[in-house]
Amino acid sequence: MERADVAIIGGGLIGCAAAWRLAQRGARVVLLEAGEHNAGASGQNAGSLHFQLERRFLEQGEALAEQAARIATLNVLAVADWRAIECELGADLHVSMAGGLMVAETREEVALLEAKAAREAAAGLAVRLIDGDAARALAPYLAKSVIAACHLTDEGHADPRALTPALAAAARAAGAAIREGCRVEAIKTPAPGRFVLRTAAGGVTAAQLLIAAGAWSASVAAMANIHLPMVPVALQMNATERIAPAIPHLIQHVGRRLSLKQAHAGNVLIGGGWPARMAVRSDGGFDLARRPALSETSLAGNLRAAIDVVPMLARLNLIRTWTGTTAITADQLPIVGPVPRLPGLWVAGGGSAFTLGLTFARLIANAMGGERVRELDLFGPARFDHLNSFMGAA
Ligand SMILES: Cc1cc2nc3c(=O)[nH]c(=O)nc-3n(C[C@H](O)[C@H](O)[C@H](O)COP(=O)(O)OP(=O)(O)OC[C@H]3O[C@@H](n4cnc5c(N)ncnc54)[C@H](O)[C@@H]3O)c2cc1C
C-alpha cells in the first residue's frame, strides 16, 4: 500500500495540473490514471480558449444566464494563467491568444450579445461590441451575414495534445508519482481524513483525495458513497485540410452552435457543441468505455454553420471527424472544491475545462494546502449537499 499526502484520480488536464501544483507546494502526490494520461476529453477537445460567456449559458433564459455569468470571474483568472503557462512549463503548447469574435446574424442575436457584454463588463472582462463592418475590418474572412460581434482580445486556442503531457512531465519533475494503467476500483474511508484506494495492482492510502475523473467523476464519487451531479455528454469535432495562415481569431456564434479556429499546423478545427451519441450498456446507463458514435446530422449542421459564417471554408476538404466525452453539471457551472460530507475529499471538473482547467487546478491546490480561496466559494460541491443528505461515510 503506497502512502501519499494527496491521491488524485484521473490523469487529464485537471489531475495532472493539480498534481504539479500540489507537488510544487511540497505534498507527496500519487495520481492514478486508468489508461494513459490525456486519453480523455483533455486530449480530444477543440483547444478553444473562450473567455466570453458561452452560448450555452445564454440560451436557457435570463435567470440561468444571470447565474451562469458567475463563471466570468474565473475566466478573468484563466486569461492570466494561459498567458503565463508556456513560460512556467518551459514548453511550446502552441498557445495563440490573438483575440476572439462571437458573431451575430440576426437582431435577436445582437440583443443577446448586448446583454452578454453587460454581464461580462460587470465581471471585469473587456469585451467590445462592434458592428458587422468593424468585425470584417478585423476578420475579412467573415460573411456579410454577420451584423455584429463581441470582440475580446485575449481569446484564442492552444494544443490539447501538448498541454497535459507537459503538465504530467512537470508534475513528475516536481516529485509527483503518476501511475498509468491504474484504474481505481474501490474507495474506502476507514476514518475521517483517511482514504484507501484499491487498484488491481495494489492501492494507495492518503489523507486527501481529489476526484478529477472528467466524465467518470460521478461514478468515481459513487465509490465514496457520494452523489455528484456531473453528467457525461458526447461531442463531435471536425478538422479540414491544412491551409496557409488565414484565420488568426477564435470565432464563435452567439445564436448557433459554432466555434472555429485555425490550429498551428494549418488545419481549421470546427466544432461548437454539436452532439455525438453515447453508447448504452445492456443493463442500462451510458457506456463510457465505448467511444460515442458520430452523428451525421451534427456533422451537416456544424459544417453549414461554419460555411455560413466563414464562406471560404466551403472550398476546403474535411479530413477528420471525431467524438469525445466530457462532463457538464446540473447547473452548468463547474464543481470545484471540498465535499462537505467527507473531510479531505475534493472534486474538480465540469464545463469548459480546457479553458479553465489550469485555473481550477491552481485554486484547488491552494485550497487543499490550507489557504482560504474565495474565488471557489460559488463553485464548490456544497451547493449540491442536499443530494448527499443520506450519503457519505456510513
Ligand atoms: C469534443 C470536445 C471538445 C471540447 N472542446 C473544448 C474547448 O474547445 N474548450 C474547452 O475549454 N473545453 C472543451 N472541452 C471540454 C474539455 O475537454 C474538458 O472539460 C476537460 O478536458 C476535462 O479535463 P479533465 O481532466 O476533467 O477530464 P479528462 O481529460 O476526461 O480526464 C479524466 C481522466 O480520468 C480517468 N479515469 C476515469 N475513471 C478513472 C478511474 N476509476 N481510475 C483512474 N482514472 C480514471 C480517465 O481515464 C481520464 O483520463 C471539449 C470536450 C470535448 C469532448
Side-chain angles (χ1 to χ4, degrees), residues 52-96:
Q52 300 190 48
L53 292 175
E54 292 169 66
R55 194 190 68 88
R56 69 187 169 102
F57 291 144
L58 309 170
E59 66 184 0
Q60 310 287 353
E62 271 298 297
L64 271 179
E66 186 65 38
Q67 176 177 299
R70 295 169 178 176
I71 199 79
T73 56
L74 292 184
N75 293 2
V76 172
L77 300 178
V79 170
D81 284 327
W82 272 103
R83 290 236 175 257
I85 192 67
E86 285 185 310
C87 190
E88 272 192 280
L89 291 175
D92 184 0
L93 309 172
H94 305 122
V95 176
S96 164

Side-chain angles (χ1 to χ4, degrees), residues 6-12 14-16 18 22 30-32 184 187 195 197 208-228 230 335-339 342 344-350 360 364 368 381:
V6 181
I8 298 175
I9 303 177
I14 296 177
C16 292
L22 285 158
V30 177
L31 182 153
L32 299 168
V184 174
I187 301 173
F195 298 89
L197 279 55
Q208 297 196 89
L209 170 61
L210 172 62
I211 298 176
W216 296 265
S217 294
S219 47
V220 169
M223 295 182 203
N225 200 36
I226 288 289
H227 287 302
L228 194 61
M230 233 187 240
I335 302 183
V336 185
V339 176
L342 284 181
L345 181 63
W346 301 75
V347 177
F360 296 167
I364 209 157
M368 291 174 83

Side-chain angles (χ1 to χ4, degrees), residues 64-390:
L64 271 179
E66 186 65 38
Q67 176 177 299
R70 295 169 178 176
I71 199 79
T73 56
L74 292 184
N75 293 2
V76 172
L77 300 178
V79 170
D81 284 327
W82 272 103
R83 290 236 175 257
I85 192 67
E86 285 185 310
C87 190
E88 272 192 280
L89 291 175
D92 184 0
L93 309 172
H94 305 122
V95 176
S96 164
M97 294 169 80
L101 290 153
M102 187 178 284
V103 304
E105 294 178 287
T106 66
R107 299 304 330 161
E108 294 73 28
E109 290 169 359
V110 176
L112 276 179
L113 283 185
E114 284 166 350
K116 181 183 84 67
R119 288 200 172 94
E120 288 164 334
L125 271 177
V127 170
R128 203 164 54 101
L129 183 59
I130 54 181
D131 66 19
D133 288 340
R136 273 178 296 279
L138 281 172
Y141 50 84
L142 287 175
K144 285 273 183 296
S145 61
V146 170
I147 58 170
C150 272
H151 180 221
L152 181 61
T153 52
D154 294 303
E155 284 191 314
H157 53 90
D159 186 349
R161 284 177 295 187
L163 175 62
T164 302
L167 290 166
R172 284 185 164 124
I178 297 189
R179 311 249 179 266
E180 295 174 279
C182 282
R183 176 180 301 284
V184 174
E185 291 167 352
I187 301 173
K188 298 277 176 245
T189 49
R194 180 150 179 256
F195 298 89
V196 180
L197 279 55
R198 291 272 170 208
T199 68
V204 176
T205 171
Q208 297 196 89
L209 170 61
L210 172 62
I211 298 176
W216 296 265
S217 294
S219 47
V220 169
M223 295 182 203
N225 200 36
I226 288 289
H227 287 302
L228 194 61
M230 233 187 240
V231 298
V233 288
L235 300 177
Q236 199 159 299
M237 280 299 306
N238 310 287
T240 71
E241 63 185 312
R242 294 177 185 192
I243 53 168
I247 304 175
H249 309 102
L250 171 69
I251 301 297
Q252 298 180 86
H253 201 298
V254 71
R256 299 168 77 177
R257 291 179 194 230
L258 178 66
S259 79
L260 65 87
K261 85 282 298 175
Q262 188 170 10
H264 71 283
N267 314 81
V268 181
L269 305 186
I270 302 169
W274 286 84
R277 179 147 191 145
M278 283 190 284
V280 176
R281 293 194 311 260
S282 56
D283 61 348
F286 292 111
D287 184 350
L288 300 185
R290 282 158 61 201
R291 193 164 275 255
L294 196 138
S295 154
E296 286 177 20
T297 311
S298 286
L299 175 62
N302 200 172
L303 298 185
R304 177 76 270 152
I307 290 167
D308 286 350
V309 171
V310 181
M312 60 164 273
L313 295 176
R315 298 197 297 272
L316 303 186
N317 289 307
L318 185 70
I319 60 162
R320 195 177 156 227
T321 297
W322 70 95
T323 64
T325 310
T326 188
I328 58 167
T329 69
D331 62 2
Q332 300 233 52
L333 293 172
I335 302 183
V336 185
V339 176
R341 302 271 150 182
L342 284 181
L345 181 63
W346 301 75
V347 177
S352 294
F354 188 71
T355 304
L356 294 175
L358 293 173
T359 307
F360 296 167
R362 181 172 59 76
L363 296 178
I364 209 157
N366 291 346
M368 291 174 83
E371 286 179 31
R372 173 86 176 86
V373 181
R374 290 182 200 288
E375 293 93 334
L376 290 182
D377 284 354
L378 294 171
F379 304 104
R383 70 189 191 274
F384 297 115
D385 198 38
H386 52 282
L387 299 177
N388 284 313
S389 300
F390 309 101

